[in-house]
Amino acid sequence: MAHPKRKISKTRRDKRRTHYKLTAPALAQCPTTGEFHLPHRAFWLDGKLYYKGQVIMEKEVLA
């Protein structure tokens, strides 16, 4: 099994990790409701499923 010949210092290790960054997700705003959501995805709001500003489906009420 491979193993390092020399210890990697904390500085060298941290320099290598400088490019591992978290990016904030891009959000789109619905033109109908003004709700923020992931782009190209449907989202639920008040029991209705919206996509591209239109109601696609309504939640069934079980009696």
Side-chain angles (χ1 to χ4, degrees):
M1 208 165 134
H3 59 278
K5 193 167 192 175
R6 297 252 184 261
K7 180 180 178 177
I8 304 288
S9 70
K10 294 173 196 158
T11 306
R12 195 177 260 298
R13 176 199 66 197
D14 293 345
K15 279 184 189 177
R16 184 181 67 244
R17 293 180 182 172
T18 59
H19 302 292
Y20 298 155
K21 297 175 186 161
L22 214 73
T23 56
L27 294 175
Q29 191 172 13
C30 180
T32 307
T33 62
E35 188 77 14
F36 286 98
H37 61 92
L38 292 174
H40 305 288
R41 284 167 179 78
F43 66 97
W44 288 97
L45 183 68
D46 298 331
K48 296 178 183 178
L49 185 67
Y50 287 90
Y51 185 67
K52 292 186 179 179
Q54 297 177 354
V55 177
I56 302 298
M57 187 187 325
E58 292 196 22
K59 199 172 196 177
E60 289 183 17
V61 179
L62 299 174

